[in-house]
Amino acid sequence: MKSFHFLGLLSLALAFSFASAFDPSPLQDFCVAIPEPKNAVFVNGKFCKNPNLTVAEDFFFPGLNVPGNTGNRVGSNVTLVNVDKLFGLNTLGISLARLDFAPYGGLIPPHTHPRATEILVVVEGTLYVGFVTSNPNRLFTKVLYPGDVFVFPIGLIHFQFNIAKTNAVAFAGLSSQNPGVITIANAIFGLIHPLILMFSLRPSNWTTMKW
Ligand SMILES: *[C@@H]1O[C@H](CO)[C@@H](O)[C@H](O)[C@H]1NC(C)=O
Ligand SMILES: *[C@@H]1O[C@H](CO)[C@@H](O)[C@H](O)[C@H]1NC(C)=O
């Protein structure tokens, strides 16, 4: 029993020593160093307010009872409460989102959060959700009903789709003050030259193919 406690303490001590030995995790896409501080915008995260001037409102965000407007191309709306909207989140490694879906087909298209795991709870409606693993890609999907919880591991491509004839509402916690989001279709088809996409899908025998 004693040695067990000792081992526990040792591993705790190791964990803490590692935690302080590593660089901090990035809190935004990048943070380019500049030699001249007058052009500096933020550190890793945001500058900290003088604690003497901090007020309760710094930790408060109202209005997440109000549905987002889903009258758009994809029929969904994400109301994200991250550090840009709730300044008290700075350095705390957490944020929150309300997800609204139009009936039958409201979709949050495949996307990834480069800095956050997402845990979602459905409060209204029926969602078909899923994520894809690193290579070799595997797809995990599930149909969720009110009260059901699903977790999307950090960095993996995932989606949420309303398969019912009613609105759907879900809330999601994200393990970053600034999770970031890359919507796959926009990033791939909107930005990258079509030739690159074509070459990504070329068959392995393409050099010997008769054109
Ligand atoms: C906060 O207030 C205390 C007490 O008045 C003072 O000693 C301290 O310097 C203040 N801190 C800052 C960062 O201004
Ligand atoms: C989401 O809903 C808010 C509030 O109704 C609205 O201002 C915003 O434009 C909506 N976003 C999209 C992408 O439709």
Side-chain angles (χ1 to χ4, degrees), residues 40-186:
V41 180
F42 42 65
V43 286
N44 190 26
K46 310 281 186 192
F47 284 120
C48 307
K49 189 176 185 177
N50 181 342
N52 291 353
L53 305 177
T54 297
V55 291
E57 273 63 34
D58 292 334
F59 306 97
F60 173 74
F61 180 91
L64 225 51
N65 58 323
V66 180
N69 181 356
T70 58
N72 52 46
R73 188 175 53 86
V74 286
S76 69
N77 195 306
V78 177
T79 311
L80 176 65
V81 186
N82 65 2
V83 70
D84 295 329
K85 296 203 187 139
L86 177 43
F87 300 146
L89 288 178
N90 198 25
T91 74
L92 297 185
I94 196 166
S95 56
L96 180 69
R98 176 187 170 122
L99 318 179
D100 286 286
F101 300 83
Y104 210 67
L107 171 68
I108 299 181
H111 63 282
T112 151
H113 305 294
R115 289 175 292 278
T117 288
E118 171 174 345
I119 184 166
L120 171 146
V121 58
V122 176
V123 296
E124 201 182 310
T126 311
L127 291 178
Y128 172 70
V129 305
F131 69 84
V132 178
T133 68
S134 310
N135 298 344
N137 303 134
R138 287 183 68 197
L139 173 68
F140 295 93
T141 64
K142 189 81 183 157
V143 175
L144 304 180
Y145 302 95
D148 289 351
V149 171
F150 200 81
V151 63
F152 306 95
I154 184 168
L156 302 187
I157 296 175
H158 59 282
F159 61 86
Q160 293 98 0
F161 185 54
N162 183 2
I163 55 172
K165 290 181 181 141
T166 57
N167 289 325
V169 183
F171 288 87
L174 295 127
S175 62
S176 169
Q177 67 179 41
N178 181 23
V181 60
I182 301 170
T183 302
I184 307 302
N186 297 351

